[in-house]
Amino acid sequence: MKVYLVGGAVRDQLLGRASGDRDWVVVGSTPAEMLEAGFEPVGRDFPVFLHPDTHEEYALARTERKTAPGYHGFAFHAAPEVSLEDDLARRDLTINAMARGEDGALVDPYGGQRDLADKVLRHVSPAFAEDPVRILRLARFAARFHDFSVAPETLALMRSMVEAGEVDALVAERVWQELARGLMEALPSRMFEVLRECGALARLLPEVDRLWGVPQRPEYHPEIDTGVHLMMVLDMSARLGATLAVRFACLGHDLGKGTTPADVLPRHIGHEMRSRKLVRTLCERWKVPTDCRELAEAVAMEHGNVHRSGELNAAAVLRLLERCDALRRPQRFDDLLLACECDARGRLGKDDEPYPQRERLAAALRAALAVDTAPIAAEAAARGLRGPAIGDAVREARVRAIAESI
């Protein structure tokens, strides 16, 4: 039995980066021997075990063979005669196909160290084409290692996979998992650029893909192109350390501009409602979590009103807060404001401009929440008011508080 550290941990060591979980491959062993050594089995499709002390994953060296289209169409073979090189050959990228032995020696049969030095994302073998998830994984790695290029032959292989319909067989859970991880990388725009370049974006997210080439009014959007703007907004969300829900809301905020009739361009009248509908469709397709969907819909509908909120009086500000459900969900409203700031600053030459709307509306919400509604309602009831009239009295008190705050 020989044990090797493999994959991302080895890659990150060579890059001098902090690494997360460590994965291990065991060569020359059997499930029975692993159990006898105290390892706990967890693998369902192939033999994976948890170390009895560290609880890290140890997998028996294995090969895999394509048996059907899509992500699940694989047969695995794990046996003592499977070599480390055989196991590494099934991995996606050369930079992820390296190992370290227990003596610290690097095993690099496919040139991963060279590609790290050259900053290239390259597939290990033609077997890359057997798993369409690898297109998403490579795009995600491009967002993490954003100064890396994609090898021309790898990009060509990805295009052929898309043309063969492999991407169409992906299951929703895996698509969302990879998209979510890519959105949280340092430069999320790179993920979408790679997906667009190989043709996968048009298959997976046609609502996003159609934004490129759609013009906007230059006085508001000096970058003009809607797709370019979207990428700038996503990168601003990463720069500001936004959560996944905020970054996803940034992704969906302008989808309706891709359906604007050509005869009214570069104006986009009513794109907010269209954006909301397209966000909902996208979320249903890829089973996006509820918190991400709800925030994205709210941002799609209200980002224009938030941008213009400096022109609103106190009563109009309260109506905006109510539409956003801010009084009941103040944290989500804070997320909405951050997404709107990303939108405002994700424009050519605007990245360092202040966004006073965010603090103004946050102050308005604090003032509205600070109103003690119980005595107001009791006093209104004592005056003989009932039902909606009591609510109006409370709203009037909140409008006065907001007016003082802004």
Side-chain angles (χ1 to χ4, degrees), residues 94-161:
T94 59
I95 64 171
N96 297 328
M98 295 179 284
R100 279 202 187 278
E102 293 174 289
D103 59 357
L106 181 69
V107 181
D108 180 19
Y110 304 106
Q113 191 172 22
R114 180 191 64 242
D115 283 340
L116 276 183
D118 294 340
K119 297 185 176 181
V120 174
L121 301 174
R122 189 191 315 276
H123 63 287
V124 173
S125 75
F128 181 98
E130 296 178 350
D131 186 356
V133 172
R134 288 175 171 171
I135 293 177
L136 286 164
R137 277 176 53 83
L138 185 147
R140 171 166 61 83
F141 280 120
R144 179 184 304 177
F145 306 116
H146 46 82
D147 55 346
F148 280 47
S149 63
V150 181
E153 63 271 23
T154 301
L155 189 60
L157 182 58
M158 292 163 65
R159 289 192 183 115
S160 69
M161 293 167 66

Side-chain angles (χ1 to χ4, degrees), residues 17 159 174 176 215 270:
R17 298 167 60 110
R159 289 192 183 115
R174 285 309 305 272
W176 171 247

Side-chain angles (χ1 to χ4, degrees), residues 15-89:
L15 289 172
R17 298 167 60 110
S19 186
D21 297 334
R22 299 190 301 174
D23 295 316
W24 304 84
V25 161
V26 181
V27 178
S29 187
T30 65
E33 291 174 344
M34 297 295 287
L35 293 174
E36 186 176 348
F39 285 79
E40 178 184 349
V42 293
R44 182 172 58 186
D45 297 322
F46 44 82
V48 178
F49 303 84
L50 296 182
H51 191 282
D53 299 322
T54 66
H55 302 289
E56 293 178 324
E57 286 193 357
Y58 285 66
L60 294 185
R62 66 184 187 273
T63 59
E64 57 189 37
R65 178 173 54 87
K66 184 76 166 175
T67 59
Y71 169 67
H72 290 294
F74 290 92
F76 300 95
H77 173 67
E81 65 270 15
V82 177
S83 69
L84 175 64
E85 288 74 15
D86 292 335
D87 184 273
L88 295 176

Side-chain angles (χ1 to χ4, degrees), residues 230-400:
L230 178 58
M231 296 299 100
M232 296 174 73
V233 174
L234 284 179
D235 290 342
M236 181 58 66
S237 73
R239 173 179 163 181
L240 297 182
T243 64
L244 173 61
V246 171
R247 298 188 193 201
F248 181 72
C250 289
L251 178 67
H253 81 285
D254 265 352
L255 295 182
K257 290 182 177 179
T259 61
T260 299
D263 61 338
V264 301
L265 293 173
R267 302 179 68 195
H268 293 277
I269 301 169
H271 80 276
E272 295 88 354
M273 181 63 75
R274 300 196 303 275
S275 295
R276 181 182 183 182
K277 291 179 179 179
L278 290 169
V279 163
R280 190 170 296 172
T281 299
L282 189 158
C283 290
E284 290 173 354
R285 183 190 316 132
W286 300 124
K287 299 183 180 179
V288 176
T290 301
D291 63 325
C292 292
R293 176 183 59 79
E294 290 181 347
L295 180 62
E297 288 189 29
V299 171
M301 282 297 296
E302 299 294 346
H303 66 276
N305 293 322
V306 171
H307 294 334
R308 294 185 291 271
S309 61
E311 307 166 8
L312 303 180
N313 62 26
V317 167
L318 179 58
R319 290 194 295 271
L320 174 60
L321 296 179
E322 290 172 337
R323 288 197 306 274
C324 294
D325 201 16
L327 296 168
R328 194 171 64 90
R329 304 174 70 177
Q331 179 55 57
R332 195 188 74 168
F333 186 65
D334 187 57
D335 289 341
L336 182 148
L337 293 178
L338 177 55
C340 291
E341 179 175 351
C342 293
D343 176 32
R345 294 173 60 185
R347 309 180 190 206
L348 189 63
K350 308 287 187 180
D351 53 320
D352 287 320
E353 286 195 357
Y355 189 66
Q357 295 94 323
R358 184 179 177 189
E359 180 49 42
R360 184 174 189 262
L361 289 175
L365 177 58
R366 289 194 297 270
L369 290 172
V371 172
D372 188 353
T373 60
I376 297 171
E379 191 274 335
R383 289 190 286 118
L385 300 180
R386 295 290 183 271
I390 294 178
D392 290 342
V394 171
R395 292 188 80 256
E396 289 173 5
R398 283 175 169 157
V399 169
R400 289 193 297 271

